[in-house]
Amino acid sequence: MDLEDFDQPKKIIRAKKAINKKTKVHIVFDEKARRDYLTGFSKRKQARKKKAEEEFKVLLKEEKKRIKQEARESYMKLTKSFEPVPEVEHLQTEEYDLGTHSVCITELSTDEIAKHNNWIGANRPVTIKEEEKKKCP
């Protein structure tokens, strides 16, 4: 053994692994695809914006449809409320047939309805006569 052999580091030779060429990934650089990607940011943004607007229009249309339906239903309830009131039906006094329509004229008194429903009665101002005013101090 020479002293020179100890001064220089020894190279370790390792066996190379076999490359599996069947599963190896090949990357191909496509300049056109790169350019489309880099210049397409605004196009993609505009596409997202357009899609959101279309979805908003659809939701707005559905909301308008729902509101119209509710208005129709409330109108039907209003027209249904013109049924005769059972407490007042017997008070109908005069009925006129005019050909195209008929008219019923009824005089209603709050006193009569109040007696029937046990209400307090009509709201009327109480007037005190002059004689009673003089008596009160």
Side-chain angles (χ1 to χ4, degrees):
M1 287 181 81
D2 293 334
L3 288 174
E4 293 175 4
D5 292 336
F6 287 112
D7 291 338
Q8 293 181 358
K10 292 185 179 179
K11 291 183 181 180
I12 301 174
I13 300 172
R14 293 185 181 150
K16 290 186 179 181
K17 293 183 181 177
I19 297 173
N20 187 357
K21 293 186 178 185
K22 293 179 183 174
T23 59
K24 189 172 182 181
V25 177
H26 293 281
I27 298 175
V28 178
F29 183 75
D30 187 8
E31 181 64 30
K32 186 178 181 219
R34 178 181 174 271
R35 187 176 297 120
D36 288 343
Y37 174 75
L38 293 175
T39 59
F41 288 112
S42 62
K43 291 177 187 176
R44 289 190 295 275
K45 184 177 180 180
Q46 291 298 325
R48 287 192 303 270
K49 205 175 197 182
K50 186 176 180 182
K51 182 181 176 187
E53 285 178 4
E54 289 173 359
E55 289 176 1
F56 180 74
K57 285 179 183 178
V58 168
L59 291 175
L60 186 64
K61 191 175 183 180
E62 290 174 1
E63 184 69 16
K64 284 181 181 179
K65 188 177 181 180
R66 185 187 62 80
I67 290 171
K68 282 183 181 180
Q69 181 65 27
E70 287 178 1
R72 270 190 229 112
E73 289 173 0
S74 64
Y75 178 74
M76 292 305 290
K77 286 180 184 177
L78 285 175
T79 57
K80 199 175 193 182
S81 68
F82 289 112
E83 296 173 354
V85 179
E87 298 140 0
V88 185
E89 262 184 39
H90 69 282
L91 299 175
Q92 291 182 351
T93 54
E94 300 174 29
E95 188 169 332
Y96 299 102
D97 189 16
L98 302 175
T100 57
H101 57 281
S102 62
V103 178
C104 295
I105 298 176
T106 305
E107 282 192 40
L108 297 178
S109 171
T110 55
D111 293 332
E112 292 176 14
I113 297 173
K115 287 177 188 175
H116 182 69
N117 291 328
N118 296 326
W119 292 347
I120 294 174
N123 291 330
R124 294 186 187 143
V126 178
T127 56
I128 300 174
K129 297 180 182 177
E130 290 180 23
E131 295 173 7
E132 293 177 9
K133 285 185 184 178
K134 291 178 183 176
K135 292 180 183 176
C136 296

